[in-house]
Structures are given as C-alpha cells and as structure tokens.
Amino acid sequence: MLGAGAEPAPGDRPALRLTGARITGSLDLRFAEIAVPVVLADCRFDEVPLLQGARLRELVLPGSSLPGLAADTARIDGRVVLSRCHLTGPLILNRAEIHGDLDLRNTVITAPGAEAISAVHAAIDGDALCANLAVQGGFRVSGASIDGEFDLEGASLSNPGGTALDAYHVQITEDFTFHPGFRAEGRIILSGATVSAAIGFCGAVLNNADDVALEAVDVHVTRNFDLGRGLAVKGGIQLDGSNIGTQLSFRDTTLTRPGEIALSLRMTQARETDLRTRRPIDGTVDVRNAQLGTLYDTPDTWPADIRLAEATYDALASPLAATERLDWLRRGTDGYLPQPYEQLAAAYRRLGHEDEARMVLLAKQRHRRVTLPPHIRVWGHIQDATVGYGYRPLRASLWLMALLACGAIFFAAHSPAPLEVGKAPPFNAVFYALDLLVPIITFGQEAAFAPRGIGQWLAYGLTAAGWILATTVTTGISRAISRQ
C-alpha cells in the first residue's frame, strides 16, 4: 500500500483486497498516502487501525470486526464503507474529509459511557447512510457538513442519561430523516442545524423521560419539520426560535412530560402548524411569541395547559364557535393577557364573523375585571349588564325602553305638581320620563314639574340610570371606533 513493491507494469491495477482475514498486529497508516484501493471485507482486527491524517482513495471495510477506528483529519477521495461492521470501541472521524458516501448501515458500535462515534466538523460530500445503525454511547457530529442526506432510518442510539445524538450546527443539503423505526435513549440535539430539505421523525421513539428528549433550538428547515405520524416521546421537545419553511407537524404524536414543559415553541416560525396530536399532550405547551401561520388543531387534543402570550397565527383551519375557542384561551396559565383575545378576535374578523369577534372581546373584558380592585369591578359589572362593555349595544336600547315604560306608567298614574301654576306646559308622562332618562336633550317637562314622595325617588333613579347608560354607550362607541 505504501509503494514498497515494484512499479506496476502498464495496464496493471494494483490493489489490496482481503476477505475473512485476521489482522493480529497494528495497521498504522498515520499520515500515509495510499494510492491504491483497499478493501478488507469480513476481516477481524485485534488492534485499532490508525488512519489519522492519512489520504486514501477509498476505505472499504464491510462486515469487519474492529476494536475501534481512528481516522480523524483523514482525507478519503471516495467512499468510506463500514456497513455490517461491529466496533467495540469508538469510531473517530473528527475533521475528516470524505469525498463520497459514509456508509454505516447495519453497523453495531459499542462504547458505553463514551463517544461511540465522533465526527466533529467532518465534511462529507455524499450521503451519511446510517440505516439500522446501533450505537451504545454518544454519537457526535456537531459542526459537520453533509452534502447529501443524513439517513437514520431504523437506527438505535442508546446513551441513557446523556446525549444520544449531538448534531449541533450541522449543515445538511438534503433530508435529515429519523423514520421509520428510529429509537433513541437520551437527548437528541439538533440546535443550530441548517437543513435545506426536510426533517422527519415519523414513527420514531424518543425516550429521555426526566429531561428534554429533542432539543432543536434555532433550527432552519427549508421544507417540513415532521414530528408526527406516530412519533412517541417521553420527555420534552424544545423548538425555540426555529424557522420552518412550510409545515411544522405534530399530527398523531404522543408526547408525555407531566408537570413540566412538554412542548416549547417559543419564537418559532412556520407557514403551517399542525397540533392535532394523537391525544392531549401530557404537560405544558409553551407557544409564546411564536408565529404559527395557519393553525390546525382540534378540541379533542387541546392540552390542559397552553401558554399563548404574544403568539400569532394567520388563520385557524378549524375556527369553531367562539364559546369553544374561549375554552382554549382559558387553558393558559399566564394570567390575564389581552393579546390572545385580540388575536383570536382578529382571526374571526378575517373570516367575516363579527359576532364571534365581539364575543371574544367581551370575554376579554370580563377576564380583565377579575384582576381589578373591588370598587372598579362594580363599575365593570354595571357596564357588562347594561351594554356588555359596548359589545352589546342593543342592550342600552332595551334598558332605555324598559325604564321609559316604567316611568311613563308611574307618572301617568301619579302626575307631579307643576312648579308654577298656569305657566307649566300640559303634562306628558312619556316625555317627562324621557326628559329624566336622556341627559343630553330636554323637552321642557322636567323643569316644569316637581314630583313628591316615591315619584321623587323614581325621578332620581331614572336620572342616574340615564347618565350610566349614556356613559356606557359613549364608552362602547369610542371602543368601536378605536377597533376600526
């Protein structure tokens, strides 16, 4: 391999190909330049092959058994094939350059309590093929760049209590797939990753029950981030600040982290967000400051605790009746916040459902009233009963008509005495009651007659009611104008 033999004759194809061999000594190719193909299939190594800094055309070791492999800073002009291998020590590819595919399909790597695979800042010009890979220990590819897809279909990563996969700041040109059949014990870290296609966890099983199972903060995905279609997670999912080009989906997902934040979407941005999980998320859902685009959800799977402060959405795929949506807002534990009510009202207005929007805004005022001092709450109850805080303007007309009828009937039966006999106009019970109720205009009746006894108290009551109605109607009109 290092050129110790005679120069090949024209037309010869020098190579090293072994099948089923046992290498009892050290294979030390550190910083060597290997110009010929090396294929060691189904071989057994007693010592760790040393390839640090080496330059090879390709490295093909399918079906081999090794106590580990050290190839950091190596440069391979073609493929690295370690499929069907069994490694009982770490695979080290830190800062390696692979100008082809990295093939780890059906390989078993065992290094409990350590980094079983370390490919920090590795550069792979092809695909990273890890289907059915089984790893005991950590799998670290932080800072790596893969000019193809990263396929972990059917892989099993086990590092309980630690990090099963550290893909911090990876750059992937095509899909990053964990489905179907992917399983992980420990934390999955995708924070800072840039994926030019899609990320998929469909049918995967993630288990890190006492902590975050999937940490994907500030991830940029050009297409879909699919966390649905049978994904089962014990632990939390954290997607804070991530940017998803099309759809973020949790359709048919099972997520369990009782008493803690099970799903965090703070400041996440997506064109569409599907929260129709298989059953309600067991834990808190935090979507504060998120931009959810078109939101898909259903009352059957609403979480018991959802934080909606400053969250926005362009449309509700299932707008539902306002009474149902208000139950959704009441599940928040942030206390009184006006923005979720205003956001929901705006969504109804965009659909042309003005009545539903007014109902939501009325509920906002009632929620706010609970937070006010007792003496201010009294005035709130009066506004609510009379004109519904301005969102029920017809109530003022009904109250006015009822009070007018009561006053007219009473004063028709108990006419007040004129203040100046002979100068007072003819008494009219209807206009007299109207003079008392409406403080803005006058018909000359109130100033000409003076009731006594019960009539005097009734006159005081009608005057006070008139001022209250006028004030609340004015408040409602100003609120309506400000909404416009």
Side-chain angles (χ1 to χ4, degrees), residues 363-407:
K364 180 189 80 168
Q365 293 296 332
R366 288 171 174 169
H367 191 176
R368 174 177 176 270
R369 185 174 67 210
V370 177
T371 66
L372 299 175
H375 66 282
I376 300 179
R377 288 206 298 268
V378 172
W379 175 241
H381 282 291
I382 293 173
Q383 290 191 81
D384 194 355
T386 53
V387 291
Y389 285 98
Y391 300 110
R392 297 287 186 266
L394 289 178
R395 285 188 186 178
S397 301
L398 296 176
W399 277 104
L400 185 63
M401 292 175 63
L403 292 172
L404 179 62
C406 291

Side-chain angles (χ1 to χ4, degrees), residues 174-335:
E174 297 182 18
D175 291 335
F176 196 178
T177 54
F178 295 81
H179 58 253
F182 176 82
R183 304 181 69 88
E185 291 276 345
R187 179 180 291 216
I188 302 293
I189 299 177
L190 307 184
S191 295
T194 300
V195 180
S196 300
I199 300 178
F201 279 86
C202 300
V205 177
L206 309 182
N207 188 4
N208 197 30
D210 297 329
D211 203 347
V212 173
L214 174 60
E215 177 191 319
V217 176
D218 294 326
V219 171
H220 291 263
V221 186
T222 302
R223 298 209 309 264
N224 296 340
F225 198 153
D226 197 341
L227 291 156
R229 287 186 282 177
L231 171 65
V233 182
K234 291 184 179 179
I237 294 179
Q238 188 176 18
L239 303 182
D240 298 345
S242 291
N243 191 309
I244 292 90
T246 52
Q247 187 180 68
L248 172 61
S249 177
F250 295 91
R251 182 72 182 269
D252 202 32
T253 297
T254 302
L255 178 55
T256 304
R257 195 187 181 195
E260 301 288 344
I261 296 178
L263 175 60
S264 182
L265 300 178
R266 296 182 63 183
M267 295 181 286
T268 298
Q269 299 180 39
R271 191 177 300 173
E272 295 182 351
T273 304
D274 193 338
L275 293 175
R276 293 174 290 184
T277 53
R278 177 172 294 184
R279 57 176 180 264
I281 293 173
D282 187 2
T284 299
V285 176
D286 189 349
V287 294
R288 288 177 290 176
N289 298 98
Q291 299 177 30
L292 303 176
T294 300
L295 178 61
Y296 296 82
D297 65 350
T298 174
D300 295 339
T301 59
W302 284 343
D305 183 2
I306 182 168
R307 301 176 183 177
L308 293 166
E310 303 303 324
T312 60
Y313 39 87
D314 299 328
L316 294 167
S318 302
L320 306 174
T323 51
E324 292 182 274
R325 279 290 170 192
L326 287 172
D327 175 58
W328 178 57
L329 294 187
R330 293 188 191 104
R331 293 167 181 253
T333 57
D334 297 322

Side-chain angles (χ1 to χ4, degrees), residues 111-125:
E115 288 186 356
I117 301 177
S118 184
V120 177
H121 292 290
I124 302 171
D125 288 348

Side-chain angles (χ1 to χ4, degrees), residues 5 18 24 155 183 210 233 408 438 458 473 475:
L18 295 176
T24 60
R183 304 181 69 88
D210 297 329
V233 182
V438 182
L458 178 60
V473 168
T475 302

Side-chain angles (χ1 to χ4, degrees), residues 60 116 131 143 153 156 158 163 174 189 305 313 318 322 329 410 437 444:
V60 182
E153 176 183 337
S156 175
S158 179
T163 300
E174 297 182 18
I189 299 177
D305 183 2
Y313 39 87
S318 302
L329 294 187
F410 179 86
L437 279 170

Side-chain angles (χ1 to χ4, degrees), residues 19-25 40-47 63-67:
T19 300
R22 178 181 177 184
I23 295 87
T24 60
L40 304 173
D42 300 314
C43 293
R44 177 182 170 188
F45 293 80
D46 287 355
E47 298 185 27
S64 295
S65 298
L66 308 92

